[in-house]
Amino acid sequence: MKIAHIDLGERPVMLAPMEDVTDPSFRLLCKEQGADMVYTEFVSADALIRDIPATVRKLHIDARERPTAIQIYGREAAPMVEAAKIVEQAGPDILDINFGCPVKKVAGKGAGAGMLRDIPRMLEITRAVVDAVKIPVTVKTRLGWDHESKIIVELAEMLQDCGIAALTVHGRTRSQMYTGSADWEMIARVKANPRLKIPVIGNGDITTPELAREAFDRYGVDGVMVGRASIGAPWIFREIRQALDGKTIEPLSVAEKFALLRRQIAESIDRIDEYRGILHIRRHLAASPLFKGIPHFRDTRIEMLRAETAAHLAEVLDRVEQLITDSLQ
């Protein structure tokens, strides 16, 4: 699969853009574990052109994580164009436009998935951004605003006509948020449209290697994007890659998985500071499948998620790792 000149190989698997999740450290971990392309946290066009430090920091890319896409969102063409030019100077491989974020503070103001209620403006922004930069521009969006307006098949053609190089479709409407099941039949209809020539990337509920393989074999997408299933489990890319390449899945050991989590914690602390770095990493710890199914784990889980120092958190993780290791013997 190619996005413009960028060759991602056969059946590429990508790390989805996720706010407060896809920081540089996590992106690099996922890349090392087999992700073919990674996306930054989404970047507010308005905040970027106001030079807000926390937003500008999101543009940092480590050469080892490439190819990398920086994703922007906004609701007006002029700020989006200005932001796109700033992003281009940061040197990403791809500029992605977010027309899919469903959260109220974004969609409720007309940006992200809110654009699904104003298609003319969505297309205006897309054309303007494509014309403003020389790097490939892609779009990530949803099926439609709600069940009554699943417009993605027609919308995909219109976005293609604006000049985008690839389209990622999350198989839910905005009104669904992240509930229910992703509708991969609709994603398949987008891909099956003979008038669509750009790559179609499917997104939504890819939680296992088997589901990733089904996305390609049954629904015919060009690539798949993994989001929430990677939080606290960057090794999912390794397992999916092995399955797609026809190899026997060889999971990392418990020790190797804990080593990855410890590395995330250390790098989060180094990037921010001890207290806020630990706060940032709690989402990964809370979601990690490593801790699921451990008997009588509630109190230890609470302690782990309330730890405020690196030393305390390390001590809790050491105990949990030993507990899991002992249970496997």
Side-chain angles (χ1 to χ4, degrees), residues 1 17 31 36 38 106 133 144 152 173 179 208-209 230 234 281 307 328:
M1 170 187 150
K31 177 67 176 179
D36 294 292
V38 297
V106 175
V133 298
I152 189 59
T173 62
T179 63
T208 66
S230 69
I281 213 68
L328 295 175

Side-chain angles (χ1 to χ4, degrees), residues 9-179:
E10 294 296 318
R11 298 187 166 200
V13 183
M14 306 165 197
L15 170 65
M18 292 177 283
E19 183 66 4
D20 294 326
V21 174
T22 53
D23 58 58
S25 171
F26 186 62
R27 296 197 304 266
L28 182 56
L29 277 179
C30 292
K31 177 67 176 179
E32 291 172 356
Q33 289 296 310
D36 294 292
M37 187 163 77
V38 297
Y39 287 65
T40 65
E41 303 170 79
F42 62 19
V43 174
S44 164
D46 292 336
L48 186 57
I49 62 179
R50 295 201 311 270
D51 203 30
I52 302 299
T55 301
V56 174
R57 282 195 294 270
K58 292 181 180 181
L59 303 186
H60 174 73
I61 295 172
D62 187 312
R64 296 170 294 171
E65 74 184 63
R66 292 183 182 276
T68 307
I70 293 179
Q71 187 186 71
I72 62 173
Y73 73 95
R75 61 178 180 175
E76 302 289 345
M80 285 288 280
V81 164
E82 189 175 349
K85 291 177 179 178
I86 296 171
V87 166
E88 186 174 33
Q89 292 303 308
D93 300 279
I94 287 169
L95 170 62
D96 190 67
I97 305 177
N98 181 316
F99 291 140
C101 179
V103 300
K104 187 175 182 180
K105 69 177 183 179
V106 175
K109 295 179 180 178
M115 281 291 166
L116 290 164
R117 303 180 84 177
D118 191 347
I119 301 306
R121 181 174 294 193
M122 178 193 287
L123 300 178
E124 175 196 2
I125 288 172
T126 305
R127 284 192 206 95
V129 170
V130 168
D131 290 344
V133 298
K134 294 182 173 60
I135 58 176
V137 175
T138 60
V139 162
K140 186 172 188 286
T141 190
R142 290 184 169 232
L143 304 180
W145 178 259
D146 56 28
H147 182 72
E148 303 302 319
S149 58
K150 292 184 179 181
I151 58 172
I152 189 59
V153 176
E154 299 79 13
L155 178 59
E157 283 191 56
M158 291 187 278
L159 289 167
Q160 176 179 257
D161 291 344
C162 292
I164 66 170
L167 175 66
T168 300
V169 180
H170 183 110
R172 290 180 174 87
T173 62
R174 188 274 170 178
S175 62
Q176 283 182 271
M177 300 295 285
Y178 295 102
T179 63

Side-chain angles (χ1 to χ4, degrees), residues 8 12 84 91 125 133 219 226 229 231 238 247 255 273 317 320 322:
L8 298 174
I125 288 172
V133 298
Y219 300 109
V226 178
I231 304 176
R238 166 192 170 95
K247 299 177 181 176
D273 58 46
L317 288 178
V320 177
Q322 189 61 54

Side-chain angles (χ1 to χ4, degrees), residues 263-328:
R263 175 178 157 189
Q264 268 192 272
I265 294 166
E267 292 178 354
S268 182
I269 290 171
D270 288 344
R271 187 171 59 90
I272 312 174
D273 58 46
E274 184 175 36
Y275 179 71
R276 291 182 300 158
I278 290 172
L279 286 180
H280 173 73
I281 213 68
R282 282 177 181 171
R283 183 170 182 181
H284 292 267
L285 296 175
S288 181
L290 260 180
F291 309 116
K292 287 180 170 58
I294 301 175
H296 314 297
F297 188 62
R298 182 177 181 276
D299 289 345
T300 304
R301 175 185 174 84
I302 291 172
E303 183 183 3
M304 177 177 69
L305 297 179
R306 287 181 177 174
E308 295 184 355
T309 67
H312 185 191
L313 184 54
E315 187 270 326
V316 176
L317 288 178
D318 286 346
R319 277 192 276 128
V320 177
E321 181 181 1
Q322 189 61 54
L323 180 66
I324 295 173
T325 301
D326 291 345
S327 71
L328 295 175

